Amino acid sequence: LVDQLLELSPGEDTWTAKMTLLTKLIKRHVEQEETILFKRMKAICDSVELAQMASDFKSIKREKSEYSLDKKMKMNHEEMRA
């Protein structure tokens, strides 16, 4: 689906429909993780393991966010040069 979106322009109706579908799929996936997976993890992991996983997740999320921001800034800088 992502590959299909990359081949389309955001102004196209097809792009909008596919983006809407992708958004719904992602939301559904997150909801499933929050309800099913997290409950299972709480049942099989102790509090130390859960805390470590939460810390790892926050660290990875921060790194990805910083990478994304750096990438956007670089793209904007390159666009200004053009």
Side-chain angles (χ1 to χ4, degrees):
L1 193 54
V2 173
D3 290 336
Q4 293 172 9
L5 281 166
L6 292 172
E7 294 176 6
L8 300 168
S9 292
E12 295 179 57
D13 291 340
T14 306
W15 185 91
T16 303
K18 289 183 184 292
M19 180 56 79
T20 301
L21 176 59
L22 179 61
T23 302
K24 287 179 182 179
L25 290 171
I26 290 170
K27 285 181 181 180
R28 182 171 178 232
H29 176 76
V30 170
E31 288 171 1
Q32 287 176 337
E33 282 187 352
E34 290 174 347
T35 56
I36 298 168
L37 184 61
F38 288 177
K39 285 181 184 179
R40 288 182 184 164
M41 296 303 292
K42 286 180 182 179
I44 61 173
C45 297
D46 62 32
S47 61
V48 174
E49 291 171 314
L50 291 171
Q52 183 61 52
M53 283 188 276
S55 175
D56 292 346
F57 175 77
K58 288 176 185 175
S59 177
I60 291 168
K61 186 176 178 182
R62 184 174 46 255
E63 288 172 13
K64 290 200 175 281
S65 177
E66 289 170 0
Y67 170 78
S68 179
L69 180 60
D70 288 344
K71 188 175 176 182
K72 285 179 185 176
M73 289 174 65
K74 182 179 179 183
M75 285 175 43
N76 287 339
H77 181 70
E78 289 173 359
E79 288 173 359
M80 287 192 304
R81 279 203 222 156

